[in-house]
Amino acid sequence: MSEITAKQPIPERYLEQILTSLRRAGVVQSHRGSRGGFVLVREPWQITLLEIVTLVEGERKEREPSLPPTLERNLVHEIWEQANTASVEVLRSYTLQDLCQQREARLQQGPMYYI
């Protein structure tokens, strides 16, 4: 956890909540002790970003309309449904391994400065 908070601007309490959710869901396993921490239970290529986002944010559920339907509300609802479907498909198509590989590829493309 300390490695993550050192590299990313994530509050430690929030990160702790995320890792607890992931542990309860069986995505990570915690180890105690001086060399303790969290490790993935499955291989990175087996864990989709959709799974992570769903565990952290919860299932996306249909909301009951609080106002009577109108043409405009129906149009907006249809667009939000399309956006939701598209985001689910994108998140389902990437794994943790894909994310790591893309990160490494972008680090390799960074400019080199020689002195």
Side-chain angles (χ1 to χ4, degrees):
M1 213 164 53
S2 60
E3 286 181 40
I4 294 172
T5 55
K7 292 180 181 180
Q8 301 295 326
I10 302 172
E12 193 169 326
R13 281 292 285 153
Y14 182 60
L15 182 60
E16 193 175 295
Q17 291 172 352
I18 291 172
L19 290 170
T20 298
S21 296
L22 296 176
R23 183 182 51 77
R24 285 186 186 137
V27 175
V28 297
Q29 190 174 35
S30 61
H31 295 282
R32 296 190 183 276
S34 61
R35 298 184 50 84
F38 292 88
V39 294
L40 294 174
V41 173
R42 294 179 275 146
E43 296 295 323
W45 59 268
Q46 296 174 316
I47 304 168
T48 66
L49 297 186
L50 178 62
E51 182 178 358
I52 301 299
V53 169
T54 301
L55 289 170
V56 172
E57 294 187 357
E59 286 283 335
R60 294 181 181 184
K61 297 179 182 170
E62 283 277 331
R63 287 185 8 174
E64 292 296 321
S66 57
L67 300 171
T70 64
L71 176 62
E72 294 79 10
R73 285 189 192 108
N74 288 341
L75 286 171
V76 170
H77 179 73
E78 288 172 19
I79 292 169
W80 275 113
E81 283 301 309
Q82 289 176 15
N84 184 52
T85 300
S87 69
V88 165
E89 289 306 313
V90 169
L91 292 170
R92 181 180 285 132
S93 70
Y94 287 98
T95 65
L96 289 181
Q97 183 170 335
D98 296 329
L99 203 58
C100 291
Q101 288 172 341
Q102 286 188 22
R103 179 183 178 273
E104 290 303 315
R106 290 182 185 191
L107 286 173
Q108 296 295 326
Q109 293 173 355
M112 290 288 209
Y113 297 100
Y114 296 97
I115 296 178

